[in-house]
Amino acid sequence: MKIVRADVIVTCPGRNFVTLKLVTDDGVHGIGDATLNGRELAVASYLRDHVCPLLVGRDPHRIEDIWQYLYKGAYWRRGPVTMSAIAAVDMALWDIKAKVAGLPLYQLLGGASRDGVMVYSHATGRDIPETLDRYAAYQEKGFKAIRVQCGVPGMESVYGVSKGGDSYEPATKGWPEEQGWSTEKYLNYVPKLFEAVRAKYGFDGHLLHDVHHRLTPIEAARLGKAVEPYALFWMEDPVAAENQEAYRLIRQHTTTPIAVGEVFNSIWDCKLLIEEQLIDYIRATLTHAGGITHLRRIADFAALHHVRTGCHGPSDLSPACMGAALHFDLWVPNFGVQEYMGYPEPALEVFPHAWSFTDGYMHPGEAPGHGVDIDEKLAARFPYDPAYLPVARLEDGTLTSW
Ligand code: GCO
Ligand code: MG
């Protein structure tokens, strides 16, 4: 069997996605997600100009060899652009292998370890009462785990909360929007949100929160400690994790579980945090961390250190990533939770998918492969439309982490 075509499809059915499609001489095809929010065309070019020509003529069954070839063969290792490109190839190859076997992908990984994949979604509101209503709406839909974010008095915009009160999408059309940030206002206010959720809805549901890299280690320690009575499932990305030793300090002060890693690209980014048990959940996911071949290495390593998976699943990773991630989650022994933010309706139409949602749990379905395809004709009706994530500035104008 040989790969005879490798095409890159860039489409914007509600938001931009980059998809790699590999076709074999047997007529079987597989797709992989290569979307890097706000830097989409860099990955598209990496694939089109540097990877696709190397794939044609290769045996698609040699997934490991192709992974090593693209990783070691580039010489320039790691980084979000390279690893997203490798991930897309890897995802498409697993899709092909499973289709040829006539099996859903999770069967090739080792079979199901659970009946369904617990997913969390985002309850966000401009203030606490609106967030409480949204929380109730997600509970009614059956969600067992819900992330809460709300507006903070005195701040015009806050990560995770849309200004108009409708569903949240971080990237905006045109050049990056500039938003303000005050750690003091946030830290003084946000514990009240968790207090209100627990007071109104009790402790049955899993409660999550994303700090989005905004704090220093000592501030994160203070927040973790302050919210211990509300038993969070996790506090996500409390501190930007380039300097991982910084997490030692947070760990010394609080028992609030910590999730990190949505911006990580390889096992080397995760190594210290996992090895020293400085986190409880690893957020790396298929598209940005080298695909199934690499993420399973990260997960196996994490399992040795009592760290569970909590894959990133925002609307800016395509439905192809979501589908493949659900197969991964159904198999991975040390599964924690999967994020499912949902998609705009046109995106769900461009990417026909086999997954389903029942009462807080998702299932990847039984279709051979990862169960997600791309309708290329429909995709062509939604051309690339530049959009960027915001940047953040402190009240005095200093640029800070968004
Ligand atoms: C999350 C993430 C996202 C990111 C987005 C950036 O936890 O879902 O933090 O909201 O901001 O994926 O592209
Ligand atoms: Mg996050």
Side-chain angles (χ1 to χ4, degrees):
M1 204 176 183
K2 277 188 173 30
I3 297 168
V4 292
R5 267 185 50 199
D7 295 324
V8 179
I9 304 147
V10 182
T11 179
C12 185
R15 69 161 350 284
N16 291 307
F17 296 117
V18 179
T19 308
L20 175 72
K21 179 172 177 176
L22 300 180
V23 185
T24 71
D25 53 354
D26 285 7
V28 181
H29 74 270
I31 69 162
D33 177 32
T35 309
L36 186 60
N37 203 2
R39 296 292 184 273
E40 295 88 358
L41 300 186
V43 192
S45 158
Y46 192 108
L47 282 167
R48 268 186 197 130
D49 299 329
H50 305 292
V51 172
C52 291
L54 302 175
L55 295 176
V56 174
R58 280 176 201 276
D59 176 358
H61 281 304
R62 296 187 63 175
I63 299 178
E64 186 65 51
D65 184 65
I66 292 175
W67 196 97
Q68 299 294 339
Y69 181 83
L70 295 175
Y71 183 82
K72 294 178 179 157
Y75 186 65
W76 312 108
R77 297 179 185 202
R78 305 160 59 186
V81 175
T82 297
M83 296 306 277
S84 302
I86 296 178
V89 176
D90 189 77
M91 231 180 277
L93 292 177
W94 277 103
D95 193 21
I96 290 172
K97 195 186 271 298
K99 280 180 177 170
V100 172
L103 291 170
L105 173 56
Y106 74 85
Q107 295 290 14
L108 267 61
L109 298 174
S113 299
R114 52 196 57 79
D115 302 328
V117 172
M118 183 172 76
V119 289
Y120 76 90
S121 211
H122 303 180
T124 66
R126 286 163 291 183
D127 51 25
I128 291 179
E130 192 172 69
T131 313
L132 291 177
D133 290 348
R134 296 275 163 81
Y135 186 90
Y138 277 108
Q139 276 198 323
E140 268 158 41
K141 286 184 193 157
F143 280 89
K144 310 286 179 264
I146 301 171
R147 186 185 100 165
V148 293
Q149 313 284 143
C150 79
V152 173
M155 265 202 263
E156 223 176 85
S157 49
V158 174
Y159 162 76
V161 181
S162 77
K163 282 190 204 149
D166 33 82
S167 70
Y168 175 71
E169 163 56 55
T172 48
K173 304 287 173 210
W175 297 113
E177 184 192 314
E178 298 215 350
Q179 299 181 346
W181 176 252
S182 158
T183 295
E184 295 74 19
K185 288 182 177 134
Y186 167 78
L187 275 184
N188 288 332
Y189 191 73
V190 80
K192 296 186 182 55
L193 170 64
F194 310 128
E195 187 186 4
V197 172
R198 289 311 196 193
K200 186 151 187 191
Y201 301 110
F203 282 75
D204 276 355
H206 297 305
L207 191 58
L208 294 77
H209 180 71
D210 192 348
V211 184
H212 220 262
H213 323 271
R214 302 284 170 99
L215 303 179
T216 64
I218 201 69
E219 290 163 350
R222 174 182 148 201
L223 177 63
K225 227 167 138 170
V227 304
E228 276 170 20
Y230 315 119
L232 262 58
F233 184 90
W234 79 33
M235 165 171 83
E236 179 183 335
D237 286 331
V239 175
E242 286 104 327
N243 173 6
Q244 307 200 341
E245 286 82 356
Y247 274 75
R248 291 182 188 141
L249 186 141
I250 310 175
R251 224 31 178 182
Q252 281 158 14
H253 289 281
T254 179
T255 56
T256 294
I258 299 172
V260 175
E262 66 179 42
V263 304
F264 289 178
N265 314 121
S266 89
I267 198 164
W268 302 103
D269 295 333
C270 312
K271 187 169 179 289
L272 187 119
L273 288 178
I274 290 177
E275 215 163 49
E276 292 196 19
Q277 293 175 219
L278 299 177
I279 57 171
D280 302 278
Y281 297 92
I282 182 73
R283 297 265 297 143
T285 194
L286 299 176
T287 299
H288 298 150
I292 290 154
T293 298
H294 197 62
L295 194 66
R296 71 187 297 178
R297 296 214 160 100
I298 296 176
D300 282 342
F301 177 59
L304 299 180
H305 301 279
H306 304 278
V307 174
R308 289 186 281 163
T309 63
C311 287
H312 192 205
S315 54
D316 49 84
L317 291 164
S318 96
C321 174
M322 190 66 210
L326 291 170
H327 286 269
F328 185 86
D329 298 333
L330 199 67
W331 156 72
V332 70
N334 49 324
F335 172 74
V337 73
Q338 166 70 51
E339 183 178 20
Y340 180 64
M341 202 171 150
Y343 291 99
E345 201 46 47
L348 293 169
E349 284 164 21
V350 166
F351 293 93
H353 48 280
W355 76 59
S356 57
F357 172 93
T358 321
D359 205 24
Y361 295 92
M362 288 180 78
H363 195 283
E366 300 296 337
H370 57 49
V372 182
D373 208 345
I374 184 163
D375 179 336
E376 287 180 80
K377 271 205 188 116
L378 192 56
R381 286 176 31 200
F382 301 101
Y384 172 67
D385 192 3
Y388 285 90
L389 291 170
V391 297
R393 290 188 187 275
L394 301 179
E395 287 174 326
D396 70 357
T398 307
L399 198 94
T400 188
S401 302
W402 174 73

